[in-house]
């Protein structure tokens, strides 16, 4: 029986993967590799990386007021009425100047600091998007594993029912059971085959979702490696909350943005102070297109200029702009508080999901063991004609449901752990034991097999 079961198991998987296996090589994919691919290929993340790069250039531009300015200017004039306006009919002037601002009310410094704060905000925002993209890839990866396990359970259900159908048909033909007992198995087998078709479709959809998340072209063959299960321990919510408030990129981005608004406000108030500039100019004159000297006037001139500008009234523009900047800061303060509260609620929900899933895994472990033993006993009783086909069908339904519930509880735990890690932006401890068996969404048959106690005997 075991050899036939394994043969049927492998052939069922080959029907899914043979068309692709001929054309493309197989490679293993871990969750970390899936996350790396997602971070490399995701278009939304690329958008935020370009935003960060643009802000880096703006910071470079904010340094320009601290450097001198060099200018060159050329002017040529031709006049018909040069006797009254100009000394000559044609005149040209070439000017080279260097200027430097000595004081502008500290606005340059505050603008630079504000631009740096905006850069910090952009980097934290990019990190937040990276966390979202990584969570999306992890979730898609987990769902492929879940769909693979569910496909395994559906395949096992069909295999067990096919065995039962052969036994029920044999008993019916020799007159040991009524025809309705055989028909019950036929109906249940048809239902199980429909469930298998749905499980195969769900696996294909999960695989496509994973390919979309990691930016991998459709048709690439992927063997999915099983995950290391999280440690199902009670999480310290207070400690996690502290880590979240300290590490969360969205909060850091908002705080940096608030700093930027504060610097902008200070830069506006510097408009009430004077601006002082110094410059030096070297001028060359000419009586033609070329400034190569004049006949009656000086050929060259050097000028040193000190300029002080102080605005006494600008129509209340500076005060209004400063008030608007102050309101922006207060708005960001409230936004930060609201974000903290929303994140704390997310954390409480994720921690509760984690605890429920961890308890569910423990319960499902026992349920699977009990369902396998129940099926083994009922199957032996059915062969000895102590139990009916209905009893064996009920035992098989309990076994399939127990395995499906265990699979869902296990991957719900993985999803809950990924959600908690995203919220606190820090990893949770993992179990030291790892199920090294690979899972495959498309290429090979899923590896988990029912225990020997649950398999019908020849």
């Amino acid at each position: 029986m075991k050899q036939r079961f394994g043969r049927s198991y492998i052939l069922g998987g080959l029907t899914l993967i043979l068309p692709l296996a001929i054309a493309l090589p197989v490679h293993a994919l871990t969750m970390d590799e899936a996350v790396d691919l997602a971070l490399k290929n995701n278009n939304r993340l690329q958008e935020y990386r370009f935003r960060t790069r643009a802000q880096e250039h703006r910071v470079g531009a904010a340094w320009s007021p601290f450097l001198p300015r060099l200018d060159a200017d050329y002017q040529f004039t031709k006049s018909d009425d040069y006797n009254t306006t100009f000394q000559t009919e044609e005149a040209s002037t070439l000017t080279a100047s260097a200027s430097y601002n000595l004081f502008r009310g500290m606005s340059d410094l505050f603008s630079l600091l504000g631009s740096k704060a905006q850069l910090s905000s952009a980097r934290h925002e990019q990190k937040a998007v990276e966390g979202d993209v990584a969570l999306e890839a992890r979730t898609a990866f987990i769902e492929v594993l879940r769909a693979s396990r569910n496909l395994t359970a559906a395949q096992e259900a069909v295999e067990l029912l096919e065995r039962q159908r052969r036994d029920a048909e044999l008993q019916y033909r020799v007159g040991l059971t009524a025809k309705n007992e055989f028909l019950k198995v036929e109906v249940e087998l048809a239902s199980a085959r429909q469930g298998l078709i749905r499980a195969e479709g769900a696996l294909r959809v999960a695989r496509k979702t994973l390919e979309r998340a990691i930016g991998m072209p459709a048709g690439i063959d992927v063997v999915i490696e099983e995950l290391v299960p999280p440690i199902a321990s009670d999480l310290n919510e207070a400690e996690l909350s502290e880590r979240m408030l300290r590490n969360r990129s969205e909060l850091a981005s908002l705080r940096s943005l608030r700093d930027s608004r504060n610097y902008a406000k200070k830069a506006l108030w510097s408009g009430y102070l004077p601006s002082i500039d110094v410059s030096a100019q070297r001028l060359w004159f000419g009586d033609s297109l070329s400034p190569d000297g004049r006949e009656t006037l000086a050929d060259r001139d050097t000028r040193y200029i000190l300029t002080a500008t102080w605005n006494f009234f600008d129509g209340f523009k500076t005060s209004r702009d400063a008030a608007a900047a102050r309101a922006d800061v207060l708005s960001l303060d409230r936004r930060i508080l609201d974000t903290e509260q929303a994140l704390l609620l997310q954390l409480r929900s994720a921690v509760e999901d984690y605890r429920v899933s961890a308890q569910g895994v423990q319960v499902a472990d026992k349920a699977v063991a009990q369902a396998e033993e129940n099926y083994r006993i009922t199957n032996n009783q059915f062969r000895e004609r102590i139990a009916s086909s209905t009893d064996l069908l009920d035992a098989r339904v309990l076994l399939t449901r127990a395995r499906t519930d265990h699979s869902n509880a296990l991957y719900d735990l993985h999803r809950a752990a990924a959600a908690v890690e995203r919220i606190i932006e820090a990893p949770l401890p993992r179990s030291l034991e790892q199920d090294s068996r690979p899972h495959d969404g498309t290429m090979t048959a899923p590896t988990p097999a029912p225990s020997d106690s649950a398999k019908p005997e020849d």
Side-chain angles (χ1 to χ4, degrees):
M1 163 59 197
K2 292 182 180 179
Q3 292 179 352
R4 287 200 299 271
F5 186 90
R7 253 194 325 268
S8 175
Y9 191 82
I10 295 174
L11 289 175
L14 289 176
T15 59
L16 292 175
I17 59 93
L18 187 58
L20 292 176
I22 295 175
L24 296 171
V26 180
H27 71 275
L29 180 70
T30 65
M31 177 177 281
D32 290 339
E33 291 172 345
V35 171
D36 291 340
L37 287 171
L39 295 178
K40 177 182 178 181
N41 300 327
N42 186 269
N43 290 322
R44 182 163 62 97
L45 181 55
Q46 293 293 338
E47 173 192 349
Y48 280 86
R49 285 173 177 163
F50 282 118
R51 288 185 183 183
T52 302
R53 186 181 303 177
Q55 187 57 36
E56 289 174 351
H57 291 302
R58 294 189 183 98
V59 171
W63 276 105
S64 61
F66 296 92
L67 301 176
R69 177 168 178 168
L70 303 177
D71 295 278
D73 177 72
Y74 171 80
Q75 183 178 2
F76 172 73
T77 305
K78 181 177 177 63
S79 176
D80 294 335
D81 192 12
Y82 62 90
N83 289 326
T84 57
T85 307
F86 298 96
Q87 296 296 326
T88 59
E89 180 180 359
E90 296 180 347
S92 61
T93 305
L94 175 63
T95 305
S97 62
S99 59
Y100 190 77
N101 175 260
L102 298 178
F103 183 73
R104 198 179 282 121
M106 303 295 289
S107 62
D108 296 337
L109 175 61
F110 291 135
S111 296
L112 175 61
L113 294 176
S115 185
K116 288 184 175 181
Q118 285 184 336
L119 175 58
S120 177
S121 176
R123 286 172 174 168
H124 287 300
E125 191 174 11
Q126 175 185 322
K127 186 178 179 182
V129 176
E130 289 175 354
D132 292 336
V133 170
L135 177 60
E136 181 182 356
R138 289 188 178 99
T139 301
F141 191 95
I142 291 169
E143 289 307 312
V144 170
L145 293 175
R146 185 200 301 271
S148 178
R149 284 284 181 92
N150 289 338
L151 176 59
T152 298
Q155 290 171 336
E156 292 168 359
V158 171
E159 176 68 17
L160 293 175
L161 281 168
E162 287 175 345
R163 288 289 301 169
Q164 185 177 350
R165 176 189 176 279
R166 289 193 292 269
D167 293 339
E169 183 180 11
L170 179 61
Q171 292 182 4
Y172 162 66
R173 292 189 182 280
V174 299
L176 296 178
T177 60
K179 185 176 182 180
N180 67 314
E181 294 292 329
F182 169 68
L183 294 178
K184 288 179 182 178
V185 181
E186 284 278 13
V187 172
E188 190 65 24
L189 178 58
S191 177
R193 285 172 175 166
Q194 291 178 2
L196 177 59
I197 294 173
R198 288 193 295 269
E200 291 171 349
L203 181 56
R204 288 191 291 267
V205 171
R207 179 181 175 276
K208 294 296 183 182
T209 303
L210 177 61
E211 291 179 355
R212 170 69 177 83
I214 65 179
M216 188 174 63
I220 294 295
D221 301 329
V222 177
V223 176
I224 304 297
E225 290 192 2
E226 184 56 273
L227 299 175
V228 179
I231 296 177
S233 60
D234 191 17
L235 302 180
N236 189 328
E237 189 172 329
E239 180 182 349
L240 294 178
S241 298
E242 181 180 352
R243 294 174 68 183
M244 180 196 69
L245 295 176
R246 182 176 63 250
N247 298 337
R248 188 74 182 206
S249 297
E250 287 86 344
L251 292 175
S253 176
L254 289 175
R255 292 172 186 137
S256 296
L257 190 59
R258 178 182 58 188
D259 293 340
S260 174
R261 295 292 188 270
N262 271 319
Y263 288 128
K265 180 180 65 176
K266 293 178 180 179
L268 287 169
W269 283 113
S270 64
Y272 290 108
L273 299 177
S275 175
I276 301 175
D277 297 87
V278 294
S279 62
Q281 294 181 343
R282 179 65 172 173
L283 298 92
W284 292 266
F285 305 99
D287 291 334
S288 63
L289 283 173
S290 176
D292 54 357
R294 298 180 296 190
E295 294 182 359
T296 58
L297 298 175
D299 298 335
R300 300 176 181 83
D301 189 15
T302 302
R303 302 172 184 175
Y304 302 96
I305 304 170
L306 174 65
T307 305
T309 305
W310 198 339
N311 176 265
F312 291 99
F313 182 71
D314 60 356
F316 303 106
K317 181 180 183 303
T318 300
S319 62
R320 296 297 185 184
D321 289 341
R326 183 168 59 251
D328 285 338
V329 173
L330 295 175
S331 174
L332 284 170
D333 286 336
R334 296 301 177 181
R335 185 176 173 186
I336 291 173
L337 290 175
D338 182 71
T339 303
E340 289 177 349
Q341 294 172 359
L343 291 176
L344 288 171
L345 179 59
Q346 288 182 17
L347 178 61
R348 292 189 185 99
S349 177
V351 168
E352 188 62 29
D353 289 343
Y354 183 90
R355 290 170 178 166
V356 170
S357 300
Q359 294 173 1
V361 171
Q362 296 175 0
V363 173
D365 284 337
K366 297 178 181 179
V368 169
Q370 293 169 348
E372 289 176 347
E373 179 65 13
N374 177 62
Y375 184 86
R376 186 188 67 81
I377 295 173
T378 307
N379 184 59
N380 291 334
Q381 292 176 344
F382 174 76
R383 290 181 178 277
E384 296 173 1
R385 296 191 295 278
I386 299 175
S388 65
S389 296
T390 301
D391 295 330
L392 188 57
L393 287 175
D394 292 340
R396 198 276 313 164
V397 169
L398 291 175
L399 177 59
T400 301
R401 185 169 61 193
R403 286 173 174 163
T404 302
D405 290 345
H406 179 271
S407 174
N408 289 332
L410 176 62
Y411 293 115
D412 284 344
L413 178 61
H414 282 298
R415 288 194 60 161
V420 173
E421 290 176 344
R422 170 64 186 99
I423 292 173
I424 66 174
E425 292 195 11
L428 292 174
R430 298 281 168 168
S431 172
L432 297 179
E433 298 181 357
Q434 180 177 4
D435 183 0
S436 60
R437 298 170 298 178
H439 280 255
D440 171 24
T442 58
M443 298 278 317
T444 57
T447 56
S451 64
D452 292 341
S453 61
K455 295 179 183 179
E457 299 177 355
D458 288 332

